[in-house]
Amino acid sequence: MNRRDFLKKALTITGLTLMGEKAFSESSSYSKGNKANRKNWEKYENIKANGIKVEEPYAIVVDLTRCIGCRRCEWACNEWNKNPNKPLKEFEESKDKTPSVFDKNRRTHAGEFTVVNRFYEGKNPIYVKKQCMHCLEPACLSACFVDAFKKTEYGSVLYNPSLCVGCRYCMVACPFDIPAYEYYDPLTPQITKCTMCFDRITENKVPACVEICPADAMNFGKRSEILRIAYERIHNNPGRYVHHIYGEHEAGGTSWLYISGTDFEKLGFPKLDKTPIPKLSKNFLFTVKVLEIVAAAPLVWAAYYMISKDKKR
């Protein structure tokens, strides 16, 4: 290739990359730095530095028999975390539109930390809110070899974008299919996820989605108290609920809990036993790290050999 063709192609590629970055930056605030996750990690570092502690981690219980599918929680989450958003009215009216946002099951992605899906038990619709479960022993944390995840004393699982190398092992490890990747960012893509509104709960506020819910479908508080509320509701209304709190023991327990009148497997929840995911993956991940070191060793020694030769010259 002559110099003129090389420069022409190089400039074309650079122009397309910059155009793509500009287009996505207009559609998403996250292409410029994953603000919510970065902000919450920095706040945790400040709290840790000041030695502030809590007596017990927090939790949220979602009562699926009360959820009306208004999607206000989605709007509030986007609004608080500075995600791309639409007017609240569009979220509320989506249930009755044709085609509807509920026509297919959605997962969280880089611009939406929570979504609501619709299932049916007979002719009756059941709405299920989905977000990071904030596991007591997180699979994402155990899969990350650069320690970009942290389980805090408050119950939140936080993510540090500045440490992430983009391997996406956390996406594979999570049994709830939560961590999302900024595929739209061609230059500095990162993982994003719900932070359990860490910046709010550390200031004695409830998460944004809990605060806005008009149906009182969510309760927030200390985990032991939230479990008490959930069990009390089940025992007082035996015909309304299945006798199970999803998240109390699944995968070692989670900070987001659910009660329902329908079996959880019919509502898209994975069937998990009490074993924390890290205990299942520990030996495998150790083997992966050993193999990475073994694979990297020849490259390191080759580089050292070349540097040594140059010095002798």
Side-chain angles (χ1 to χ4, degrees):
M1 186 185 297
N2 61 42
R3 185 172 62 180
R4 178 178 292 179
D5 289 340
F6 170 77
L7 289 172
K8 190 188 294 183
K9 292 192 176 184
L11 288 170
T12 301
I13 292 169
T14 303
L16 289 172
T17 302
L18 292 174
M19 285 171 63
E21 184 184 10
K22 181 181 178 183
F24 282 115
S25 67
E26 289 172 354
S27 64
S28 170
S29 60
Y30 279 85
S31 56
K32 291 298 181 184
N34 199 348
K35 295 176 183 175
N37 284 274
R38 187 181 302 278
K39 176 181 68 172
N40 281 281
W41 185 277
E42 289 172 355
K43 179 152 193 177
Y44 174 71
E45 290 292 328
N46 290 333
I47 289 173
K48 191 168 64 171
N50 292 326
I52 300 172
K53 295 182 179 181
V54 290
E55 297 176 1
E56 186 184 347
Y58 293 107
I60 298 108
V61 63
V62 184
D63 189 336
L64 299 180
T65 68
R66 295 186 177 187
C67 183
I68 58 175
C70 68
R71 297 179 63 213
R72 284 191 174 195
C73 54
E74 291 188 39
W75 178 86
C77 178
N78 291 340
E79 191 74 8
W80 179 257
N81 291 297
K82 308 302 181 195
N83 282 353
N85 211 0
K86 296 178 291 186
L88 177 57
K89 188 177 180 181
E90 290 190 30
F91 284 85
E92 294 175 325
E93 293 176 348
S94 61
K95 183 166 59 173
D96 303 318
K97 285 186 176 179
T98 304
S100 170
V101 69
F102 293 119
D103 288 344
K104 62 178 182 180
N105 284 342
R106 298 176 296 150
R107 59 152 293 173
T108 58
H109 62 75
E112 285 184 315
F113 296 167
T114 186
V115 295
V116 179
N117 288 316
R118 181 170 64 191
F119 298 84
Y120 281 95
E121 179 68 15
K123 293 184 178 181
N124 299 319
I126 302 169
Y127 297 98
V128 179
K129 181 181 182 299
K130 181 174 184 176
Q131 72 295 303
C132 177
M133 298 290 282
H134 296 276
C135 304
L136 302 187
E137 296 187 51
C140 55
L141 187 155
S142 70
C144 182
F145 60 87
V146 294
D147 294 329
F149 289 89
K150 174 68 178 179
K151 177 68 176 180
T152 73
E153 298 84 350
Y154 291 83
S156 307
V157 177
L158 301 182
Y159 160 77
N160 185 355
S162 64
L163 292 178
C164 181
V165 296
C167 69
R168 287 164 283 173
Y169 288 171
C170 56
M171 296 177 68
V172 179
C174 178
F176 302 105
D177 196 28
I178 292 299
Y181 195 61
E182 293 177 325
Y183 288 106
Y184 53 73
D185 186 341
L187 300 178
T188 56
Q190 297 170 339
I191 294 292
T192 71
K193 63 180 256 345
C194 158
T195 66
M196 200 169 151
C197 281
F198 182 79
D199 49 347
R200 291 176 63 94
I201 65 178
T202 52
E203 295 179 0
N204 297 317
K205 299 177 183 177
V206 301
C209 57
V210 177
E211 183 177 64
I212 200 172
C213 182
D216 196 26
M218 289 176 274
N219 293 84
F220 170 82
K222 302 293 186 183
R223 194 171 188 269
S224 60
E225 177 63 16
I226 291 300
L227 281 168
R228 186 193 66 76
I229 290 171
Y231 270 115
E232 190 175 85
R233 203 171 289 178
I234 291 171
H235 288 304
N236 291 341
N237 304 274
R240 184 183 176 103
Y241 301 99
V242 294
H243 199 277
H244 180 57
I245 301 173
Y246 192 93
E248 181 182 11
H249 300 297
E250 276 78 7
T254 62
S255 297
W256 275 81
L257 308 165
Y258 289 81
I259 54 177
S260 168
T262 305
D263 290 339
F264 289 102
E265 288 178 52
K266 296 179 180 178
L267 303 176
F269 290 83
K271 186 176 182 180
L272 302 168
D273 61 22
K274 297 180 180 181
T275 309
I277 300 298
K279 289 188 177 178
L280 299 174
S281 60
K282 185 178 180 181
N283 292 334
F284 170 74
L285 289 171
F286 176 77
T287 304
V288 169
K289 289 179 181 179
V290 170
L291 290 174
E292 285 175 346
I293 294 169
V294 171
L299 297 174
V300 174
W301 286 112
Y304 177 75
Y305 172 72
M306 295 302 295
I307 292 168
S308 298
K309 280 185 67 176
D310 284 344
K311 282 186 175 180
K312 286 177 182 177
R313 285 178 187 172

